Amino acid sequence: MLGSRANPVLVLDFGAQYAQLIARRVRELHVYSKIVSHAITAEEVLAERPRALILSGGPKSVWVEGAPTVDPRIWELDLPILGICYGAQLMSRELGGEVARSGSGEFGRTLFESSSDGGSLLSGLPGEFEVWMSHQDAIVRGPGGATTLGSTEHAPVAAFEDRGAKRYGVQFHPEVSHGSFGREVLSSFLFSAGGIEPRWTNFTIIEEAIGEIRQTVGESRAICALSGGVDSTVAAVLTHEAIGDQLTCVFVDTGLLRAGEAEQVTTLFRSQFHITLVHVDASDRFFANLAGVTDPESKRKIIGETFIRVFEEIAAELSDAKFLVQGTLYPDVIESGTATAAKIKSHHNVGGLPEDMSFSLVEPLRHLFKDEVRAVGVELGVPEAMVWRQPFPGPGLAVRIIGEVTPEHAGRVREADRIVQEELNRSGASKGLWQAFAVLAPSLRSVGVSGDERTYDSPVILRAVESEDAMTADWARLPYDVIDRISRRIVGEVAGVNRVVYDVTSKPPGTIEWE
């Protein structure tokens, strides 16, 4: 049962972070997109029954030995194809054009000048506008039969199209918000060139998800792994819409939650949504299983397995509980390792589940990005305060403790995090942030002074980032006075901490979380 996910736009990933952003931009235009490997075969493409293909940018030059390419038979398919940056260069090189090693790359904002009426791709756009470039090589002649639509100072063919062959290319990145008219370029490709109908809406997402859940679960019972975060909350409400009282939500207090979270979750689900909720305090069990463990991947897997074992025990008390509902998102799937993406980290709900788990999974959000989940949540009546909460990792505070996870360490990082949230909210600095939190490094010690006494305590790392979907992120330029208040309060109020440092690393090369 695919519905609006039938006939997707396939984004062929050549190894750049841009592929995820392209997919999101297509979906913002209400067209379902799916990321696949550039190594996909023509037969596999046809099996997806796509409406169009988009070739993403990539970090390599088309002239580097071993540079990624595509199955040559893909060019022969009767499908609209848009090449972006590397994708446009590859199309040109493979189909009779020319790509030169100019030695004068373009990076960042660049002036684009149209050299024709704009064709179908740039129709209605100004003769000059700023675009976002990131390339070293340049297209000097587009594919055979293609018309040049515009250029920049160092890119003679910065856009081209061949309407008869349904081939289009831009040297710039229309998916990046820093340039102008990127949305219009993608819209022209999808609707004018591709003739695609915009069917990917909140309403269709909800209706189709409800239908799929009902078809999957049937008359059985399901348990929802409820963490209290945005993803699991929306997954729970959506599943309840589908199967009603066949759903039991299980909220496990791991001892690794944010301050006041257990009370907030139980009140919301029992009072507002009237969803059956089992609240299990398993904190002692989690801390016992994590004792002495310092490896981040081991911690994630232990937490994931402990979650499942708790669920299995609850399921034993319910008749016919065969399904486990989880708030897995599309970025979770990608970052946990796919054919097109390296494994960045294990998620407890993707790569960290035990093989002998007795449940079958129901993942109603598996195809969605975070912004789509939030929009669906609003549509379902989830309070906006919950919908717009900052993302919280499945393993909880365990991934914000560098080293062994103990009740004492969890208490310290929880208190530090509470202070971070209070000060950011009080100052208004939380607006526009994707995430902001505290990390405790108990295994590190530094000399400090408290009153007239020498201290030898641990540091807290303050992390705040801006992002659209967590695939990439930039560290937030918080006001110094806000950082100062956070630092003073943490050092003064959290026992065993005598230093606060601010993480100014973007993603990439870092990740948002520390472990």
Side-chain angles (χ1 to χ4, degrees), residues 441-449 454-460 496-501:
S443 58
L444 299 178
R445 297 295 181 89
S446 64
V447 176
V449 177
R454 176 181 181 275
T455 62
Y456 194 56
D457 290 327
S458 302
V460 158
V497 174
N498 67 354
R499 193 178 296 268
V500 174
V501 298

Side-chain angles (χ1 to χ4, degrees), residues 4 9 11 20-33 54 82 84 121 174-176 181-202 204-205 369 371-372:
S4 60
V9 169
V11 178
Q20 288 79 29
L21 192 52
I22 294 168
R24 286 189 64 251
R25 294 294 182 246
V26 171
R27 293 189 187 193
E28 287 172 3
L29 292 167
H30 304 298
V31 175
Y32 180 67
S33 60
I54 298 179
L82 172 65
I84 295 177
L121 197 62
E175 74 277 14
V176 175
F181 302 110
R183 182 183 177 92
E184 287 78 4
V185 171
L186 291 174
S187 177
S188 292
F189 171 71
L190 295 172
F191 306 131
S192 297
I196 299 172
E197 296 180 7
R199 298 184 299 169
W200 181 250
T201 66
N202 294 336
T204 58
I205 291 171
F369 288 101
D371 57 329
E372 294 172 316

Side-chain angles (χ1 to χ4, degrees), residues 34-363:
K34 181 179 179 181
I35 300 170
V36 297
S37 169
H38 67 86
I40 190 171
T41 66
E43 290 80 8
E44 290 169 335
V45 168
L46 290 175
E48 295 279 355
R49 300 176 61 195
R51 295 297 302 271
L53 307 180
I54 298 179
L55 312 185
S56 82
K60 296 184 181 295
S61 164
V62 293
W63 295 111
V64 173
E65 184 178 352
T69 184
V70 298
D71 180 347
R73 295 170 297 170
I74 286 177
W75 305 121
E76 301 170 6
L77 301 177
D78 186 26
L79 291 170
I81 302 177
L82 172 65
I84 295 177
C85 194
Y86 182 93
Q89 293 177 352
L90 180 66
M91 191 187 306
S92 298
R93 192 196 70 177
E94 295 290 303
L95 299 174
E98 182 182 350
V99 179
R101 302 178 182 181
S102 65
S104 299
E106 292 175 313
F107 301 92
R109 289 186 177 88
T110 305
L111 183 65
F112 174 90
E113 297 183 26
S114 295
S115 56
S116 68
D117 62 359
S120 61
L121 197 62
L122 307 180
S123 177
L125 300 186
E128 294 184 351
F129 56 92
E130 283 192 335
V131 296
W132 188 263
M133 289 288 201
S134 180
H135 68 95
Q136 190 67 45
D137 301 334
I139 303 171
V140 297
R141 188 174 69 253
T147 300
T148 298
L149 301 180
S151 61
T152 63
E153 182 179 1
H154 298 292
V157 182
F160 63 80
E161 73 176 21
D162 181 347
R163 297 190 204 182
K166 302 180 183 178
R167 295 169 185 156
Y168 305 81
V170 290
Q171 181 67 75
F172 55 88
H173 288 274
E175 74 277 14
V176 175
S177 60
H178 306 299
S180 303
F181 302 110
R183 182 183 177 92
E184 287 78 4
V185 171
L186 291 174
S187 177
S188 292
F189 171 71
L190 295 172
F191 306 131
S192 297
I196 299 172
E197 296 180 7
R199 298 184 299 169
W200 181 250
T201 66
N202 294 336
F203 177 77
T204 58
I205 291 171
I206 292 170
E207 289 299 301
E208 290 167 12
I210 288 174
E212 290 176 1
I213 293 167
R214 286 173 177 166
Q215 185 177 40
T216 299
V217 176
E219 299 300 319
S220 301
R221 295 188 62 81
I223 296 178
C224 181
L226 186 64
S227 70
V230 178
D231 306 334
S232 65
T233 297
V234 174
V237 175
L238 185 56
T239 303
H240 188 254
E241 286 284 325
I243 62 174
D245 291 341
Q246 291 170 244
L247 173 69
T248 297
C249 286
V250 179
F251 177 67
V252 178
D253 187 344
T254 64
L256 301 168
L257 303 175
R258 290 169 285 195
E261 190 150 31
E263 294 79 7
Q264 293 171 4
V265 171
T266 53
T267 299
L268 179 67
F269 275 77
R270 286 174 175 164
S271 301
Q272 178 164 335
F273 294 130
H274 306 291
I275 298 175
T276 303
L277 176 67
V278 177
H279 181 190
V280 181
D281 184 353
S283 54
D284 291 343
R285 184 168 170 179
F286 277 85
F287 286 124
N289 290 348
L290 290 167
V293 179
T294 59
D295 176 69
E297 287 296 293
S298 297
K299 289 195 287 188
R300 288 175 178 273
K301 290 184 180 298
I302 288 170
I303 291 170
E305 181 166 358
T306 306
F307 258 108
I308 295 302
R309 299 312 174 208
V310 172
F311 290 139
E312 287 178 333
E313 292 167 9
I314 298 299
E317 302 173 9
L318 301 172
S319 61
D320 202 21
K322 297 179 179 179
F323 294 91
L324 173 61
V325 181
Q326 293 195 136
T328 308
L329 304 192
Y330 196 32
D332 295 342
V333 176
I334 295 170
E335 289 200 339
S336 292
T338 68
T340 61
K343 179 177 176 179
I344 296 175
K345 59 190 175 187
S346 294
H347 294 261
H348 79 277
N349 55 347
V350 180
L353 297 175
E355 294 182 1
D356 61 342
M357 183 180 70
S358 62
F359 298 113
S360 296
L361 290 179
V362 174
E363 298 171 309

